[in-house]
PDB file of all heavy atoms in Angstrom:
ATOM      1  N   THR A  90      -4.966  30.401   6.195  1.00 98.00           N
ATOM      2  CA  THR A  90      -5.681  29.421   6.988  1.00 98.00           C
ATOM      3  C   THR A  90      -6.412  28.417   6.240  1.00 98.00           C
ATOM      4  O   THR A  90      -7.215  28.794   5.358  1.00 98.00           O
ATOM      5  CB  THR A  90      -6.539  30.112   8.007  1.00 98.00           C
ATOM      6  OG1 THR A  90      -5.804  30.903   8.923  1.00 98.00           O
ATOM      7  CG2 THR A  90      -7.318  29.042   8.846  1.00 98.00           C
ATOM      8  N   ALA A  91      -6.117  27.082   6.331  1.00 98.00           N
ATOM      9  CA  ALA A  91      -6.712  26.144   5.509  1.00 98.00           C
ATOM     10  C   ALA A  91      -6.206  24.816   5.996  1.00 98.00           C
ATOM     11  O   ALA A  91      -5.319  24.673   6.794  1.00 98.00           O
ATOM     12  CB  ALA A  91      -6.407  26.308   4.109  1.00 98.00           C
ATOM     13  N   VAL A  92      -6.885  23.700   5.500  1.00 98.00           N
ATOM     14  CA  VAL A  92      -6.245  22.332   5.608  1.00 98.00           C
ATOM     15  C   VAL A  92      -5.442  22.174   4.432  1.00 98.00           C
ATOM     16  O   VAL A  92      -5.870  22.337   3.229  1.00 98.00           O
ATOM     17  CB  VAL A  92      -7.382  21.351   5.697  1.00 98.00           C
ATOM     18  CG1 VAL A  92      -6.735  19.945   5.630  1.00 98.00           C
ATOM     19  CG2 VAL A  92      -8.247  21.506   6.904  1.00 98.00           C
ATOM     20  N   TYR A  93      -4.170  21.759   4.676  1.00 98.00           N
ATOM     21  CA  TYR A  93      -3.219  21.574   3.565  1.00 98.00           C
ATOM     22  C   TYR A  93      -3.070  20.068   3.344  1.00 98.00           C
ATOM     23  O   TYR A  93      -2.802  19.302   4.157  1.00 98.00           O
ATOM     24  CB  TYR A  93      -1.815  22.274   3.968  1.00 98.00           C
ATOM     25  CG  TYR A  93      -1.823  23.704   3.873  1.00 98.00           C
ATOM     26  CD1 TYR A  93      -2.565  24.542   4.729  1.00 98.00           C
ATOM     27  CD2 TYR A  93      -1.089  24.360   2.840  1.00 98.00           C
ATOM     28  CE1 TYR A  93      -2.532  25.929   4.625  1.00 98.00           C
ATOM     29  CE2 TYR A  93      -1.106  25.744   2.723  1.00 98.00           C
ATOM     30  CZ  TYR A  93      -1.801  26.487   3.512  1.00 98.00           C
ATOM     31  OH  TYR A  93      -1.836  27.867   3.485  1.00 98.00           O
ATOM     32  N   TYR A  94      -3.180  19.779   2.071  1.00 98.00           N
ATOM     33  CA  TYR A  94      -3.142  18.435   1.612  1.00 98.00           C
ATOM     34  C   TYR A  94      -1.975  18.168   0.723  1.00 98.00           C
ATOM     35  O   TYR A  94      -1.565  18.918  -0.087  1.00 98.00           O
ATOM     36  CB  TYR A  94      -4.351  18.026   0.841  1.00 98.00           C
ATOM     37  CG  TYR A  94      -5.682  18.125   1.631  1.00 98.00           C
ATOM     38  CD1 TYR A  94      -6.434  19.174   1.641  1.00 98.00           C
ATOM     39  CD2 TYR A  94      -6.111  17.008   2.370  1.00 98.00           C
ATOM     40  CE1 TYR A  94      -7.543  19.355   2.377  1.00 98.00           C
ATOM     41  CE2 TYR A  94      -7.298  17.035   3.020  1.00 98.00           C
ATOM     42  CZ  TYR A  94      -8.026  18.197   3.050  1.00 98.00           C
ATOM     43  OH  TYR A  94      -9.213  18.263   3.721  1.00 98.00           O
ATOM     44  N   CYS A  95      -1.288  16.976   0.936  1.00 98.00           N
ATOM     45  CA  CYS A  95      -0.225  16.497   0.094  1.00 98.00           C
ATOM     46  C   CYS A  95      -0.851  15.688  -1.044  1.00 98.00           C
ATOM     47  O   CYS A  95      -1.687  14.861  -0.835  1.00 98.00           O
ATOM     48  CB  CYS A  95       0.888  15.727   0.922  1.00 98.00           C
ATOM     49  SG  CYS A  95       2.236  15.102   0.016  1.00 98.00           S
ATOM     50  N   ASN A  96      -0.261  15.874  -2.212  1.00 97.00           N
ATOM     51  CA  ASN A  96      -0.644  15.103  -3.387  1.00 97.00           C
ATOM     52  C   ASN A  96       0.402  14.547  -4.097  1.00 97.00           C
ATOM     53  O   ASN A  96       1.550  15.262  -4.280  1.00 97.00           O
ATOM     54  CB  ASN A  96      -1.568  16.010  -4.298  1.00 97.00           C
ATOM     55  CG  ASN A  96      -1.799  15.454  -5.688  1.00 97.00           C
ATOM     56  OD1 ASN A  96      -1.023  15.737  -6.620  1.00 97.00           O
ATOM     57  ND2 ASN A  96      -2.872  14.612  -5.745  1.00 97.00           N
ATOM     58  N   ALA A  97       0.332  13.307  -4.590  1.00 97.00           N
ATOM     59  CA  ALA A  97       1.378  12.798  -5.440  1.00 97.00           C
ATOM     60  C   ALA A  97       0.821  11.991  -6.582  1.00 97.00           C
ATOM     61  O   ALA A  97      -0.166  11.328  -6.419  1.00 97.00           O
ATOM     62  CB  ALA A  97       2.281  11.895  -4.529  1.00 97.00           C
ATOM     63  N   LEU A  98       1.452  12.039  -7.654  1.00 96.00           N
ATOM     64  CA  LEU A  98       1.206  11.171  -8.781  1.00 96.00           C
ATOM     65  C   LEU A  98       1.999   9.919  -8.757  1.00 96.00           C
ATOM     66  O   LEU A  98       3.292   9.902  -8.709  1.00 96.00           O
ATOM     67  CB  LEU A  98       1.456  11.878 -10.112  1.00 96.00           C
ATOM     68  CG  LEU A  98       1.070  11.313 -11.404  1.00 96.00           C
ATOM     69  CD1 LEU A  98      -0.550  11.138 -11.443  1.00 96.00           C
ATOM     70  CD2 LEU A  98       1.549  12.055 -12.692  1.00 96.00           C
ATOM     71  N   ILE A  99       1.307   8.764  -8.516  1.00 95.00           N
ATOM     72  CA  ILE A  99       1.957   7.447  -8.212  1.00 95.00           C
ATOM     73  C   ILE A  99       1.504   6.397  -9.133  1.00 95.00           C
ATOM     74  O   ILE A  99       0.283   6.381  -9.544  1.00 95.00           O
ATOM     75  CB  ILE A  99       1.604   7.182  -6.723  1.00 95.00           C
ATOM     76  CG1 ILE A  99       2.367   8.104  -5.770  1.00 95.00           C
ATOM     77  CG2 ILE A  99       1.890   5.638  -6.438  1.00 95.00           C
ATOM     78  CD1 ILE A  99       2.106   7.877  -4.292  1.00 95.00           C
ATOM     79  N   ARG A 100       2.487   5.575  -9.444  1.00 94.00           N
ATOM     80  CA  ARG A 100       2.036   4.339 -10.260  1.00 94.00           C
ATOM     81  C   ARG A 100       2.624   3.109  -9.535  1.00 94.00           C
ATOM     82  O   ARG A 100       3.856   3.070  -9.227  1.00 94.00           O
ATOM     83  CB  ARG A 100       2.660   4.372 -11.710  1.00 94.00           C
ATOM     84  CG  ARG A 100       2.435   3.249 -12.463  1.00 94.00           C
ATOM     85  CD  ARG A 100       2.961   3.370 -13.968  1.00 94.00           C
ATOM     86  NE  ARG A 100       4.388   3.575 -13.887  1.00 94.00           N
ATOM     87  CZ  ARG A 100       5.331   2.542 -13.778  1.00 94.00           C
ATOM     88  NH1 ARG A 100       4.961   1.267 -13.694  1.00 94.00           N
ATOM     89  NH2 ARG A 100       6.600   2.836 -13.847  1.00 94.00           N
ATOM     90  N   ALA A 101       1.786   2.185  -9.153  1.00 90.00           N
ATOM     91  CA  ALA A 101       2.286   1.026  -8.584  1.00 90.00           C
ATOM     92  C   ALA A 101       2.980   0.166  -9.591  1.00 90.00           C
ATOM     93  O   ALA A 101       2.575   0.094 -10.825  1.00 90.00           O
ATOM     94  CB  ALA A 101       1.020   0.260  -8.010  1.00 90.00           C
ATOM     95  N   TRP A 102       4.028  -0.542  -9.152  1.00 89.00           N
ATOM     96  CA  TRP A 102       4.767  -1.453 -10.018  1.00 89.00           C
ATOM     97  C   TRP A 102       3.858  -2.557 -10.486  1.00 89.00           C
ATOM     98  O   TRP A 102       2.941  -3.103  -9.882  1.00 89.00           O
ATOM     99  CB  TRP A 102       5.894  -2.111  -9.205  1.00 89.00           C
ATOM    100  CG  TRP A 102       6.964  -1.076  -8.884  1.00 89.00           C
ATOM    101  CD1 TRP A 102       6.960   0.178  -9.116  1.00 89.00           C
ATOM    102  CD2 TRP A 102       8.206  -1.371  -8.162  1.00 89.00           C
ATOM    103  NE1 TRP A 102       8.223   0.756  -8.567  1.00 89.00           N
ATOM    104  CE2 TRP A 102       8.884  -0.207  -8.004  1.00 89.00           C
ATOM    105  CE3 TRP A 102       8.751  -2.634  -7.597  1.00 89.00           C
ATOM    106  CZ2 TRP A 102      10.112  -0.214  -7.270  1.00 89.00           C
ATOM    107  CZ3 TRP A 102       9.881  -2.569  -6.871  1.00 89.00           C
ATOM    108  CH2 TRP A 102      10.557  -1.381  -6.812  1.00 89.00           C
ATOM    109  N   GLY A 103       4.027  -2.811 -11.835  1.00 88.00           N
ATOM    110  CA  GLY A 103       3.214  -3.931 -12.395  1.00 88.00           C
ATOM    111  C   GLY A 103       1.939  -3.306 -13.150  1.00 88.00           C
ATOM    112  O   GLY A 103       1.131  -4.101 -13.673  1.00 88.00           O
TER     113      GLY A 103
END
Side-chain angles (χ1 to χ4, degrees):
T90 296
V92 177
Y93 283 71
Y94 296 92
C95 179
N96 167 265
L98 188 63
I99 289 175
R100 178 178 60 82
W102 292 359

